[in-house]
Amino acid sequence: MPTSITYTAEALSTGAGRDGHVRSDDGRVDLEMAVPKPMGGSGDGANPEQLFAAGYAACFHSALQAVARAQKVRLHDTSVGARVHVGPDGRGGFGLAVELEVVVPGLPADQAQALADAAERVCPYSNATRGNIDVRVSVVDG
């Protein structure tokens, strides 16, 4: 837990979890959920992995911009893509793995990688997942 709490997000899942409904307390997130087709469902709604991918991509992108500002590096047209994989964990349950693809146009590859590495150290999602799931961060040409 952080030493002091700056913000708390709140959401409620109703219905049947993956085949139910999620809504944030402020209504900004209000989605029908559905099991993805590859997992035997209809695929007619959002799923937790999509929400996690969107959140991780946005959070990591923010961290990237923050470390660049702190280092007085100007960024233009950056993006962060996230792929969240789910599959059997070999212990009877399921596990996650994440791939983050960072695009930092206009910077030398080593400088872009250094920024991505610094972002990985400060991003709350990265801090929460470190040591729990496999997360791979790669910098690609824009």
Side-chain angles (χ1 to χ4, degrees):
M1 180 89 76
T3 56
S4 69
I5 296 173
T6 305
Y7 169 74
T8 299
E10 188 175 335
L12 178 66
S13 172
T14 57
R18 284 181 174 273
D19 275 323
H21 191 91
V22 294
R23 186 176 189 285
S24 61
D25 62 333
D26 63 3
R28 291 205 175 267
V29 175
D30 193 353
L31 300 169
E32 292 299 318
M33 303 296 283
V35 175
K37 285 184 179 182
M39 293 176 72
S42 70
D44 291 337
N47 64 68
E49 292 73 31
Q50 290 171 322
L51 298 175
F52 188 64
Y56 205 155
C59 190
F60 196 92
H61 199 184
S62 241
L64 180 74
Q65 292 171 343
V67 297
R69 274 192 308 276
Q71 296 178 22
K72 300 192 183 336
V73 175
R74 295 183 65 101
L75 299 180
H76 302 282
D77 301 320
T78 58
S79 64
V80 175
R83 289 183 194 91
V84 173
H85 308 284
V86 62
D89 67 1
R91 299 177 305 204
F94 289 87
L96 298 175
V98 175
E99 295 177 71
L100 297 174
E101 191 170 272
V102 180
V103 178
V104 186
L107 286 185
D110 59 336
Q111 187 179 12
Q113 186 64 56
L115 286 175
D117 292 344
E120 197 276 332
R121 287 189 296 276
V122 301
C123 172
Y125 275 61
S126 293
N127 288 334
T129 60
R130 189 173 295 109
N132 298 311
I133 66 173
D134 183 27
V135 176
R136 298 189 184 167
V137 179
S138 61
V139 176
V140 298
D141 289 333

